[in-house]
Amino acid sequence: MISSLISMVYMIWAYKQFFEEENTWSAIGKTLLAILAAGVVIAVVSGFGGFFISLFGDKAALINAVTGGK
């Protein structure tokens, strides 16, 4: 939790410096938007990956991996 907070503060500072933002709220908005966009991309890629693994993968090996071979 603390590392996430530190990362967000650093990202806000980086946006202010890189884009030469005068407004702190604009930098906060861009930071939150970047975090949201990254989360959406990760979710979509994971969803497609899981879908294709379940579609084309070896279902017996997948069941054994999940259940521990029981």
Side-chain angles (χ1 to χ4, degrees):
M1 183 85 159
I2 293 173
S3 66
S4 296
L5 182 62
I6 292 171
S7 296
M8 286 184 70
V9 170
Y10 176 72
M11 286 177 68
I12 292 167
W13 176 79
Y15 275 117
K16 281 186 64 88
Q17 297 297 314
F18 186 75
F19 293 112
E20 297 177 355
E21 291 285 335
E22 296 287 330
N23 189 356
T24 302
W25 292 107
S26 176
I28 291 171
K30 287 179 183 179
T31 300
L32 294 176
L33 187 62
I35 291 170
L36 178 68
V40 168
V41 168
I42 289 170
V44 168
V45 169
S46 297
F48 277 118
F51 173 74
F52 284 116
I53 286 173
S54 68
L55 189 63
F56 298 114
D58 183 13
K59 294 191 183 6
L62 183 62
I63 290 170
N64 284 336
V66 170
T67 61
K70 296 179 184 177

